Amino acid sequence: MTTAFDPIDLAGTPLANRLVMAPMTRNRATAEGVPTPSMVRYYTQRASAGLIITEASQTEPVGRGYPLTPGLHTPEQVAGWRRVTDSVHAAGGKIFGQLWHGGRIGHPVLLPDGLVPVAPSAVGAAGQGFTQDGPTDFVTPRELTDEEIHRTIDGFAAAARNALEAGFDGVEIHGGNGYLIHQFLAPNTNLRTDAWGGSDEARARFAIEVVKAVAAEAGAHRTGLRLSPGNPFNDIDEPAPEATYTAVVEAVAPLGLAYLHTCDVLDLELLARLRKRFGGTFLLNPATTGRPTGPEELSLVEEGEADLLAYGALFLANPDLPRRLALGGPFNTPDRASFYGGDDSGYIDYPALEA
């Protein structure tokens, strides 16, 4: 029987176990999006994960959705991430960088002068976003032109190239949680009637083209894709997501990607159908309403529901999570007040178990 503690070959990258540190925004980069020494320590502390997937890094300046998030579009950012990857590798870990564009989730105060958030259509998100000025109402984004869409795809490819220069073992494309790729996929945020919208297949096109461009740059074996079908986060509404996501998965499956990473929103049957169509390594971030993913979910690997298992908040609070899961605990409790921004408290001061 395969367990979550068994090694796995991830398209040529050997992983010591099947426990993955999920990508989690922590807002601890500099104002210029450069990873800090504390980020080096944070990721290195968690190098016993089979695979670390970093917090989202914007692929271009207009893609920033929150303050103090890192990027992968300047030499200084690449150098900062290189310090992270070198340290993680020295500790025996493997690390993928997550590529991200916030799209309409952002605000002009987060962006260089003159820029406003962009999206497939000029449809603002309900609610407020987080800025250095506190919670702020979302603005109506500017609709991308066809030429700009192609440049945005090129931006993902360039960020993938920068990620390899920064020493990452691979990259994950963030296609979920209501950000730009998800905005192209969802019918309430993509109102286009050109080649990028108007049907399930057309809404899938942007995601497909981004994956192809990134895989061509980084190698498909070093490219993962994260999707969250039906996730309402950031004012997304997908009443019937299967056709669109099937189009995405069927188009990218022949590329031979490193993995497909899906976030369960209480529809494991849909995810199982997408997994079958993908045919490759399947990374699951399971739904655990009201609590962090914990020891109870280890059985998902044993039962063949997933090849890899993503842990978020519990990995945030337990730098030595694989060891704690193997022992059945105890587990540090995540401090939600320090999740986003702040100093090193609740970031790099969670204790590991004594030897």
Side-chain angles (χ1 to χ4, degrees), residues 63-84:
R64 173 175 289 196
Y66 305 110
L68 304 180
T69 54
L72 268 168
H73 56 85
T74 72
E76 295 77 15
Q77 293 164 357
V78 171
W81 276 122
R82 185 81 208 200
R83 290 187 283 271
V84 173

Side-chain angles (χ1 to χ4, degrees), residues 19 45 68 81-82 98 150 298 302 335 338 345 349:
L19 302 168
Q45 287 174 335
L68 304 180
W81 276 122
R82 185 81 208 200
Q98 191 186 62
H150 285 285
L298 292 172
E302 297 167 5
D335 173 26
S338 60
S345 300
D349 60 350

Side-chain angles (χ1 to χ4, degrees), residues 120-158:
S121 300
V123 180
Q128 295 183 314
F130 297 98
T131 74
Q132 59 266 38
D133 301 326
T136 307
D137 290 345
F138 289 119
V139 301
T140 300
R142 184 175 60 78
E143 181 176 303
L144 289 162
T145 66
D146 182 80
E147 180 181 357
E148 289 170 334
I149 289 173
H150 285 285
R151 288 207 300 265
T152 302
I153 293 168
D154 291 341
F156 273 91

Side-chain angles (χ1 to χ4, degrees), residues 165-181:
E165 183 181 341
F168 283 106
D169 297 293
V171 295
E172 177 180 281
I173 300 163
H174 195 346
N177 293 17
Y179 302 117
L180 183 64
I181 293 176

Side-chain angles (χ1 to χ4, degrees), residues 10 32 47 69 81 86 90 287 291 295 332:
L10 186 65
E32 295 75 32
T69 54
W81 276 122
D86 283 351
R291 62 171 177 82
N332 300 322

Side-chain angles (χ1 to χ4, degrees), residues 215-305:
E217 193 66 53
H221 64 294
R222 292 186 293 203
T223 301
L225 172 62
R226 190 186 206 203
L227 299 172
S228 58
N231 186 351
F233 189 59
N234 282 322
D235 195 29
I236 291 291
D237 184 22
E238 295 180 294
E242 185 159 0
T244 301
Y245 286 88
T246 297
V248 173
V249 171
E250 288 185 341
V252 304
L255 299 177
L257 301 181
Y259 62 80
L260 175 65
H261 179 184
T262 60
C263 300
D264 177 24
V265 286
L266 303 178
D267 193 350
L268 275 172
E269 293 183 359
L270 171 58
L271 299 189
R273 291 192 292 273
L274 294 177
R275 179 190 185 186
K276 184 176 181 181
R277 292 179 184 276
F278 179 67
T281 300
F282 182 66
L283 166 56
L284 177 63
N285 192 323
T288 53
T289 305
R291 62 171 177 82
T293 304
E296 303 90 336
E297 280 65 54
L298 292 172
S299 62
L300 291 169
V301 174
E302 297 167 5
E303 296 166 0
E305 297 292 331

